[in-house]
C-alpha cells in the first residue's frame, strides 16, 4: 500500500507517493537523492543518519516516512545552503550541497579548520546533532555539547576536535583564535618568500565534500542504476552444505536475475593477500569455515531481493564441530581446516638475539606476565559497499577500499582476467583502520556484473559487516623480562599465539611484525620472541591498526612497570634509561641512526608525570579521609612502530602533471581513508615543485589514472608515497626549468596556458603549454603535457631465520600517560585525562597528525576498557560498544 506524504526538506516542499512505513533515511537517499544522510547501522545505534525534524534531532533510519507528514526535515544538504543561496552560489537550489569554502556554515568551517572530519562518514550526522547546540546558550559547556552529540558515533577522531569545532562555532569570534593556522613563512628552498605547505595546518583537500555531505561513499551512487546483490551466509562456524533445487525460487521471484554460486566464478575461487595465502573463496564451495561466510549471492531488483528470506533459499546444512579457539585448533587429532596446509598453524615468526637463558639467569630482577586479548571489531561507520559494471571486455568497480591495486589484481584472478582488464575506482572511504584492505563486496558484484552485463551493487548491513569482515587478532601472550641492578634491561622472552580465524587474510603480517616489536621500544641485548598465527573456525583476523603490535605492547609495558617497581625506580625513568635512541641497535640487529625520538617523548611527558601523580595522591588522601570509594592513579606506556611492510619491498609511484591550460594535477594512488593522505601528498608535491598547494588538483586512487602507490596501511603513505610525491614535484620542476633554461633558484608560475619561469634579477621566460603534446591520454585539454614522476621504495632487508635484518627503513615512537579513576566498590574505571608525545618524524600537516593520535587513543581506550567481539553475540553496535564522546577524556 502506498500513500501520499507531504513534508518539507531543507525548506522546499516534497510530495511523495510512498509506502508509509519506509525508513525516512531510505526515502531521503533513494527517492530524493540526498545521500548526505548516511546509514551506518539502520538500528539507531550509530547516529550517522541524524537529521532534524521540526528542530529535533532524530535517527532517520528509525522514522517511518509517514511520521514526518507536515513536518520540516533538515538534512546536511540544507546546512550552509542559505549562505550559498544569498550569494547565488551552487547551493541556490534546496538540496544542492555547497561546494565552496565560503558557502559553508560557521559550524562546517570550524569542523574543517580544526580537523573534526577525518573520513567524514559521521560528519553529516554529527553536524546535524551539533546544530542543536548552536540554538542553545552562547557559550555551551562541554557537557552540553557532549549531550547534544552523544548519540552520534565517530570511530576516527576521538571526538575532542569535534567538541573543539563546536566550541569555536558557538563562541564569539573574538574569544577564540579563529584564524586558520598557517605554515611558516620563511624563505623556501628556491629563494622565494612564499608560504611553505609542508608543516602547515592546511585544511583537508577533500574536506569541503566531507562537511557538506557531498562526498560519494560506497553506498552513495544513485540506486536506480543497479541490480542489487545480497549474499546468503552461513549460520554455522563449520559445516558442509549442498544446494537444493533453485527452480521454485526462480519461479516465485521473477525479479531474481541470478543465483550466484561458487560454480559460477569464472576464474580462481581463491584469493588472499599473500601468494602463499590464497585460501579464501569468493563463495564457499561445499564447506564453510566461519559463521557469516558467503555461500551464494542473490541478484535482482531491490524489491525482489528484499522479499527473499534466507530461509527461502534451499540449502542443506551439515554442521561439524567447530574449532572454537586456538587450544582446540592445536589439540592432537584436531581436524585440519585447510587441506593444503600441514597443520592449523598458518605461520610462525621469530626474532632471536643473544643468549636469553643466560642473560635472564644473570638478571638481578625478573618479571613475568600473561596477557589475553579478544577479537576487536573495526567498527568503521561506513559498512562495506560498492558496485561493478562491465564496460566492453573490462570490468569497473567503485568500492570503499584501502588498496585499489591489490583489489584490482585479486578481482582479475577471480574473474580470470588480466589485471589491466580491471579498473578500481575508490569511493570516499568511511573509515578503514586496516579492515578495508581485504576484499569485501568486490568479488561478488564483479562476477555478477560480468556475467549479467548489468551494473550490480551491494551494501552490507551492519550485522553482515561485523560477521563477515576481518577483526583484530585475539592473542595469548606470555612474556618475561630481566634487568640489572642499575635498571638496564638484560633479557626479554616472548611468545604470542594469535587466532587468525578461518582464512589467512593479514595473519602472516601479524606473525612477522610482532616479534620485531615484542620487546617494546627498548634496547635489550638478549631477546627471544616467537609467534604463531593459528587457524580456527572464527572470523578471519586481519589488519587492524598496528598488526598485533598493540597486543604485544600490553605485555611489554606491564613488564616495564613491574621491573621498575622491583628496583624502586620511577616508571618513566626506567623507560628512559632503556629507550631506543639514535645509535641503539634493535633486537633484529638494526642500528638506528636517526629519527628515534622516544627519549624526547618521555622528557616531554615528565612535567605532567610529576604533577599528575602528586595531584592524584592528594586526591586519594582526601578520598580516604572521607571514606570515598574511588582512587586515582597515573600510568605510563610507550610504543614504537616500523613504517611500512615488514622486510619486503614497499614501492610507490606518484605523478604530478601540468595540462595545456596550466592546471596542475597530482595523480596519487595513495587512498585517503580519513588519515589525510591526499592532503599531505598535495602539500609535499606543491613544495617540491615550488607552487602553492591550493593550485594542485587531485586524481586519487583510480587504477586507470594513477600509478600504484601501494596500500594505505602500516603508516606507510606519508613516508613512502610522500617521498614519491616529493620526487614527482622535483622531476616536474626540473623539466620546466630545463625548457626555460633556468637555474634552480628560479620561481615557477602556472596558468593561462603558460609556465612562467623567473630567475632572480632576470626576465620572465614563458613556455607556451599549448604547443606541447599530451604525454598521455586523449583529452587534449585535461591530459598532462608535462608529467613529473616520483618512485620511492625505502631500503629494507629480508630477515634471516633468527629474525636478523633491517625490517623497516624507519620507525615511529610515542609515549603517553593517563590518569585513571577506579571505583573500588563498583569496579568501574574512568580515564580522566591523557597526554601523548609522539615522534612522527616531520609532521607534514600537524592537524592530521594530531587527528591520528587522538583517534588512536580513542581506539586504544576501546580496546582496553570496553570492546570485545564475540562471534554470534556482538554483531551490531548496541551489543558491541565503541567509545562515545562521553568516554574520551581531554587529550
Ligand atoms: Fe567520524 Fe570517520 S570522521 S567516523
Amino acid at each position: 500500500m502506498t500513500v501520499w506524504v507531504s513534508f518539507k526538506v531543507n525548506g522546499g516542499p516534497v510530495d511523495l507517493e510512498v509506502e508509509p512505513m519506509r525508513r525516512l533515511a531510505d526515502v531521503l537517499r533513494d527517492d530524493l537523492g540526498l545521500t548526505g544522510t548516511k546509514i551506518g547501522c539502520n538500528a539507531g545505534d550509530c547516529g550517522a543518519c541524524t537529521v532534524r525534524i521540526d528542530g529535533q534531532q532524530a535517527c532517520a533510519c528509525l522514522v517511518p516516512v509517514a511520521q514526518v507528514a507536515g513536518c520540516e526535515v533538515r538534512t546536511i544538504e540544507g546546512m550552509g545552503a542559505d549562505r550559498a543561496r544569498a550569494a547565488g552560489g551552487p547551493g541556490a537550489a534546496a538540496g544542492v550541497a555547497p561546494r565552496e569554502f565560503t558557502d559553508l556554515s560557521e559550524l562546517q568551517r570550524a569542523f574543517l579548520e580544526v580537523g573534526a572530519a577525518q573520513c567524514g562518514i559521521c560528519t553529516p550526522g554529527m553536524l546535524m546533532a551539533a546544530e542543536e547546540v548552536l540554538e542553545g546558550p552562547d557559550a555551551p559547556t562541554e557537557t552540553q555539547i557532549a549531550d547534544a552529540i552523544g548519540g552520534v558515533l565517530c570511530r576516527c577522531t576521538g571526538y575532542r576536535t569535534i567538541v573543539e569545532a563546536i566550541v569555536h562555532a558557538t563562541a564569539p569570534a573574538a574569544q577564540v583564535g579563529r584564524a586558520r593556522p598557517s605554515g611558516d613563512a620563511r624563505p623556501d628552498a628556491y629563494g622565494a618568500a612564499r608560504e611553505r605547505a609542508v608543516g602547515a595546518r592546511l585544511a583537508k583537500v577533500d574536506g569541503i565534500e566531507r562537511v557538506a555531505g557531498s562526498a560519494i561513499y560506497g553506498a552513495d551512487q544513485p540506486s536506480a542504476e543497479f541490480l542489487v546483490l545480497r549474499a546468503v551466509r552461513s549460520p554455522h562456524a563449520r559445516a558442509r552444505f549442498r544446494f537444493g533445487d533453485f527452480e521454485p525460487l526462480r519461479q516465485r521471484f521473477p525479479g531474481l536475475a541470478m543465483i550466484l554460486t561458487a560454480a559460477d566464478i569464472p576464474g580462481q575461487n581463491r584469493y588472499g593477500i599473500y601468494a602463499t595465502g590464497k585460501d579464501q573463496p569468493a563463495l564457499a564451495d561445499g564447506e564453510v569455515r566461519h559463521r557469516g561466510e558467503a555461500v551464494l549471492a542473490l541478484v535482482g531488483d531491490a524489491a525482489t531481493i528484499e522479499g527473499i528470506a534466507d530461509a527461502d533459499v534451499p540449502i542443506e546444512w551439515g554442521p561439524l564441530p567447530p574449532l572454537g579457539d586456538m587450544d582446540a585448533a592445536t589439540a592432537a587429532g584436531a581436524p585440519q581446516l585447510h587441506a593444503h596446509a600441514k597443520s592449523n598453524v598458518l605461520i610462525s615468526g621469530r626474532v632471536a638475539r643473544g643468549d636469553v637463558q643466560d642473560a635472564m639467569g644473570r638478571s638481578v630482577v625478573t618479571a613475568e606476565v600473561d596477557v589475553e586479548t579478544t577479537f576487536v571489531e573495526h567498527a568503521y561507520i561506513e559498512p562495506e559497499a560498492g558496485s561493478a559494471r562491465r564496460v566492453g571486455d573490462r570490468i569497473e568497480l567503485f568500492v570503499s577500499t584501502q588498496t585499489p591495486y591489490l583489489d584490482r589484481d585479486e578481482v582479475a584472478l577471480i574473474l580470470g582476467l588480466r589485471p589491466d582488464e580491471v579498473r578500481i575506482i575508490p569511493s570516499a572511504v568511511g573509515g578503514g583502520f586496516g579492515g578495508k584492505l581485504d576484499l569485501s563486496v568486490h568479488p561478488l558484484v564483479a562476477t555478477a556484473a560480468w556475467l549479467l552485463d548489468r551494473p550490480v551493487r551491494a551494501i552490507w548491513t551492519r550485522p553482515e559487516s561485523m560477521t563477515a569482515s576481518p577483526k583484530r587478532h585475539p592473542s595469548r601472550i606470555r612474556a618475561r623480562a630481566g634487568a640489572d641492578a642499575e635498571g638496564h634491561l638484560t633479557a626479554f622472552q616472548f611468545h604470542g599465539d594469535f587466532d587468525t580465524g578461518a582464512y589467512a587474510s593479514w595473519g602472516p603480517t601479524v606473525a612477522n611484525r610482532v616479534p620485531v616489536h615484542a620487546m617494546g621500544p627498548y634496547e635489550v641485548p638478549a631477546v627471544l620472541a616467537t609467534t604463531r598465527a593459528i587457524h580456527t573456525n572464527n572470523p578471519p583476523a586481519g589488519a587492524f591498526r598496528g598488526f598485533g603490535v598493540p597486543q604485544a605492547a600490553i605485555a611489554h609495558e606491564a613488564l616495564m612497570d613491574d621491573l621498575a617497581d622491583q628496583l624502586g625506580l620511577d616508571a618513566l625513568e626506567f623507560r628512559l634509561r632503556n629507550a631506543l635512541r639514535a645509535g641503539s641497535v634493535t633486537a633484529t640487529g638494526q642500528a638506528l641512526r636517526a629519527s628515534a625520538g622516544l627519549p624526547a617523548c618521555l622528557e616531554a611527558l615528565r612535567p605532567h608525570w610529576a604533577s599528575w601523580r602528586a595531584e592524584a595522591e592528594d586526591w586519594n588522601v582526601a578520598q580516604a579521609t572521607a571514606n570515598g570509594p574511588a582512587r586515582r592513579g597515573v600510568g605510563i606506556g610507550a610504543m614504537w612502530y616500523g613504517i611500512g611492510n615488514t622486510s619486503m619491498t614497499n614501492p610507490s609511484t606518484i605523478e604530478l602533471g601540468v595540462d595545456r591550460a596550466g592546471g596542475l594535477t597530482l595523480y596519487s594512488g595513495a587512498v585517503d581513508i580519513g588519515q589525510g593522505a591526499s592532503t599531505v601528498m598535495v602539500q609535499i608535491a606543491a613544495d617540491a615543485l615550488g607552487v602553492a598547494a591550493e593550485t594542485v588538483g587531485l586524481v586519487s586512487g583510480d587504477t586507470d589514472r594513477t600509478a600504484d602507490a601501494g596500500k594505505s596501511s602500516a603508516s606507510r603513505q606519508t613516508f613512502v608515497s610522500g617521498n614519491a610525491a616529493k620526487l614527482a614535484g622535483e622531476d616536474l620542476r626540473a623539466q620546466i626549468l630545463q625548457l626555460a633554461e633556468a637555474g634552480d633558484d628560479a620561481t615557477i608560475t602556472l596558468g593561462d596556458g603558460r609556465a612562467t619561469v623567473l630567475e632572480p634579477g632576470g626576465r620572465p621566460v614563458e613556455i607556451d603549454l599549448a604547443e606541447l603534446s599530451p604525454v598521455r591520454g586523449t583529452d587534449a585539454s585535461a591530459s598532462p603535457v608535462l608529467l613529473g614522476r616520483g618512485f620511492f621504495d625505502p631500503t629494507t632487508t629480508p630477515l634471516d631465520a633468527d629474525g636478523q635484518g633491517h625490517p623497516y627503513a624507519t620507525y615511529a615512537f610515542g609515549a603517553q600517560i593517563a590518569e585513571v579513576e577506579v571505583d573500588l566498590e563498583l569496579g568501574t574505571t574512568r580515564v580522566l585525562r591523557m597526554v601523548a608525545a609522539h615522534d612522527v618524524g616531520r609532521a607534514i600537516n600537524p592537524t592530521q597528525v594530531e587527528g591520528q593520535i587522538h583517534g588512536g587513543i580513542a581506539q586504544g581506550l576501546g580496546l582496553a576498557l570496553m570492546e570485545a567481539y564475540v562471534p554470534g553475540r556482538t554483531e551490531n553496535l548496541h551489543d558491541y560498544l565503541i567509545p562515545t564522546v562521553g568516554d574520551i577524556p581531554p587529550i
Side-chain angles (χ1 to χ4, degrees):
M1 182 196 75
T2 58
V3 297
W4 281 94
V5 178
S6 301
F7 54 105
K8 281 188 173 176
V9 176
N10 300 326
V14 170
D15 291 291
L16 285 176
E17 188 181 5
V18 287
E19 289 170 27
M21 293 305 290
R22 276 186 68 206
R23 297 171 191 267
L24 175 61
D26 291 338
V27 172
L28 290 170
R29 290 173 56 82
D30 296 339
D31 298 23
L32 302 178
L34 299 176
T35 54
T37 298
K38 306 302 179 189
I39 295 177
C41 68
N42 254 344
D45 296 321
C46 75
C49 64
T50 298
V51 297
R52 301 186 77 201
I53 302 171
D54 287 343
Q56 300 292 310
Q57 55 169 299
C59 283
C61 72
L62 295 183
V63 178
V65 64
Q67 203 169 303
V68 300
C71 296
E72 169 84 44
V73 177
R74 183 162 164 81
T75 71
I76 185 66
E77 286 86 352
M79 188 179 272
D82 289 343
R83 184 195 292 264
R85 266 198 296 276
V96 177
R99 305 290 299 176
E100 303 295 331
F101 191 78
T102 49
D103 295 338
L104 303 175
S105 70
E106 286 293 311
L107 195 56
Q108 288 168 308
R109 284 153 62 105
F111 266 58
L112 200 51
E113 286 170 359
V114 305
Q118 288 188 23
C119 81
I121 193 78
C122 74
T123 305
M126 197 66 84
L127 285 164
M128 285 286 109
E131 208 177 44
E132 206 172 82
V133 187
L134 298 188
E135 290 160 12
D138 263 358
T141 63
E142 222 177 82
T143 307
Q144 287 168 324
I145 293 173
D147 284 348
I149 64 170
V152 186
L153 294 177
C154 175
R155 192 57 156 167
C156 297
T157 62
Y159 301 101
R160 299 305 308 181
T161 50
I162 292 172
V163 172
E164 188 188 340
I166 297 169
V167 169
H168 275 236
T170 52
Q175 289 180 12
V176 291
R178 300 300 306 279
R180 193 170 156 194
S182 64
D184 59 61
R186 62 178 184 269
D188 66 20
Y190 312 115
R194 69 173 176 78
E195 201 172 74
R196 288 179 66 81
V198 168
R201 291 179 179 271
L202 241 56
K204 286 168 81 87
V205 296
D206 51 4
I208 290 176
E209 294 93 317
R210 271 143 180 88
V211 298
S214 57
I216 304 297
Y217 295 84
D220 290 345
Q221 291 174 301
S223 56
E225 291 176 26
F226 297 97
L227 291 174
V228 169
L229 179 147
R230 186 182 96 230
V232 174
R233 300 179 179 278
S234 170
H236 305 288
R238 181 165 170 249
R240 296 195 189 284
F241 68 92
R242 64 174 174 231
F243 300 125
D245 182 5
F246 290 143
E247 205 42 46
L249 193 67
R250 290 199 180 97
Q251 304 264 331
R252 198 171 137 209
F253 294 99
L256 192 54
M258 170 176 260
I259 301 172
L260 189 66
T261 71
D264 300 309
I265 300 293
Q268 172 182 309
N269 189 22
R270 285 281 181 276
Y271 68 88
I273 306 307
Y274 290 90
T276 52
K278 294 200 184 300
D279 59 0
Q280 190 160 0
L283 286 167
D285 193 0
E287 180 179 356
V288 289
R289 296 181 178 84
H290 71 94
R291 180 183 153 77
E293 184 165 1
V295 296
L296 63 75
L298 305 168
V299 188
D301 62 75
T304 297
I305 298 306
E306 202 180 315
I308 302 175
D310 282 7
D312 295 332
V313 181
I315 305 174
E316 194 181 309
W317 294 101
L320 296 166
L323 301 178
D325 57 32
M326 293 187 282
D327 286 338
T330 51
Q336 207 163 299
L337 295 188
H338 293 278
H340 64 269
K342 290 199 188 90
S343 75
N344 290 323
V345 176
L346 167 69
I347 191 170
S348 302
R350 172 185 159 93
V351 166
R353 186 169 181 80
D355 186 338
V356 170
Q357 299 310 330
D358 179 61
M360 199 73 81
R362 288 189 289 104
S363 300
V364 172
V365 290
T366 60
E368 260 184 49
V369 69
D370 289 300
V371 170
E372 200 159 340
T373 66
T374 63
F375 279 113
V376 182
E377 158 68 22
H378 296 87
Y380 24 72
I381 305 301
E382 180 206 29
E384 293 76 357
S387 64
R389 68 178 74 232
R390 184 170 180 164
V391 182
D393 288 336
R394 300 184 78 215
I395 189 92
E396 289 187 1
L397 280 80
F398 177 80
V399 281
S400 183
T401 179
Q402 295 180 234
T403 177
Y405 270 83
L406 276 176
D407 289 356
R408 182 198 67 167
D409 295 352
E410 294 290 298
V411 168
L413 269 180
I414 290 162
L415 293 188
L417 299 175
R418 295 193 316 267
D420 65 357
E421 291 170 328
V422 178
R423 178 183 188 184
I424 304 288
I425 305 168
S427 68
V429 180
F433 319 117
K436 289 176 182 167
L437 291 171
D438 291 73
L439 294 185
S440 59
V441 302
H442 321 44
L444 301 186
V445 294
T447 304
W450 182 256
L451 296 175
L452 291 168
D453 198 7
R454 293 180 64 183
V456 176
R457 79 190 305 192
I459 303 169
W460 284 6
T461 63
R462 175 57 57 180
E464 190 175 19
S465 170
M466 294 183 74
T467 311
S469 68
K471 312 274 172 272
R472 181 182 292 286
H473 285 73
S475 65
R476 197 160 39 187
I477 293 167
R478 167 158 286 193
R480 190 164 182 234
D484 63 20
E486 282 74 48
H488 291 110
L489 289 167
T490 50
F492 196 96
Q493 192 162 2
F494 175 103
H495 179 75
D497 281 338
F498 292 82
D499 181 349
T500 206
Y503 297 106
S505 180
W506 293 81
T509 312
V510 172
N512 291 334
R513 184 177 278 269
V514 170
V516 174
H517 293 82
M519 70 303 303
Y522 309 110
E523 194 160 7
V524 194
V527 170
L528 178 60
T530 53
T531 51
R532 295 188 299 176
I534 297 169
H535 280 307
T536 64
N537 287 115
N538 285 321
F544 189 172
R545 233 173 176 167
F547 292 98
V549 175
Q551 292 94 308
I554 296 171
H556 63 64
E557 289 309 282
L559 291 176
M560 295 308 119
D561 284 344
D562 193 341
L563 292 173
D565 267 359
Q566 291 185 49
L567 289 164
L569 289 172
D570 175 84
L572 184 148
E573 225 40 74
F574 182 78
R575 286 170 170 82
L576 191 54
R577 205 165 287 187
N578 291 286
L580 289 168
R581 60 196 76 213
S584 297
V585 176
T586 70
T588 71
Q590 181 175 6
L592 301 179
R593 296 202 168 78
S595 195
L598 182 60
C601 293
L602 290 165
E603 291 293 357
L605 295 183
R606 194 191 284 278
H608 305 277
W609 180 240
S611 63
W612 287 18
R613 283 189 307 156
E615 289 165 23
E617 275 165 31
D618 290 348
W619 195 88
N620 287 342
V621 169
Q623 272 285 299
T625 308
N627 279 328
R631 296 292 183 273
R632 290 181 178 173
V634 181
I636 185 167
M639 57 75 71
W640 68 319
Y641 192 69
I643 304 302
N645 306 333
T646 307
S647 63
M648 61 171 71
T649 183
N650 264 281
S652 174
T653 300
I654 300 283
E655 296 170 325
L656 180 63
V658 58
D659 60 35
R660 281 185 170 166
L664 270 170
T665 302
L666 186 75
Y667 300 91
S668 167
V671 176
D672 195 320
I673 58 172
Q675 85 283 37
S678 292
T679 306
V680 300
M681 294 309 140
V682 165
Q683 288 178 265
I684 293 169
D687 272 10
L689 175 61
V691 299
E694 287 77 6
T695 64
V696 181
L698 180 72
V699 170
S700 173
D702 182 337
T703 55
D704 270 15
R705 302 185 67 198
T706 66
D708 187 357
K711 61 198 166 67
S712 288
S713 80
S715 301
R716 62 180 290 283
Q717 289 296 18
T718 302
F719 172 51
V720 182
S721 295
N723 270 299
K726 178 171 179 284
L727 294 170
E730 289 170 354
D731 183 25
L732 181 59
R733 179 176 176 80
Q735 292 179 39
I736 293 171
L737 294 182
Q738 189 177 18
L739 285 173
E741 296 181 356
D744 197 38
D745 54 354
T747 57
I748 294 172
T749 310
L750 295 162
D752 297 329
R754 292 186 295 273
T756 306
V757 180
L758 178 63
E759 288 187 283
R763 297 180 53 181
V765 177
E766 292 196 341
I767 301 162
D768 186 351
L769 297 168
E771 287 187 355
L772 304 177
S773 305
V775 292
R776 69 167 181 226
T778 51
D779 180 350
S781 62
S783 299
V785 292
L786 292 169
L787 188 69
R789 205 157 214 264
F791 173 84
F792 187 73
D793 188 1
T795 305
T796 60
T797 64
L799 298 178
D800 67 16
D802 282 333
Q804 298 299 295
H806 293 194
Y808 311 101
T810 190
Y811 297 80
F813 294 84
Q816 301 178 357
I817 60 178
E819 184 179 24
V820 182
E821 185 176 303
V822 179
D823 186 312
L824 302 178
E825 289 174 1
L826 299 175
T828 51
T829 303
R830 220 156 48 98
V831 179
L832 302 174
R833 51 182 170 169
M834 293 191 67
V835 58
H838 286 248
D839 167 26
V840 300
R842 178 80 189 268
I844 305 298
N845 185 321
T847 299
Q848 307 306 320
V849 173
E850 289 158 9
Q852 290 304 293
I853 293 168
H854 280 222
I857 285 174
Q859 291 188 358
L861 288 181
L863 184 158
L865 297 178
M866 58 201 295
E867 297 183 37
Y869 179 82
V870 183
R873 282 177 45 201
T874 58
E875 292 167 353
N876 54 64
L877 291 173
H878 50 264
D879 292 317
Y880 186 91
L881 299 178
I882 66 172
T884 69
V885 63
D887 296 307
I888 306 299
I891 298 169

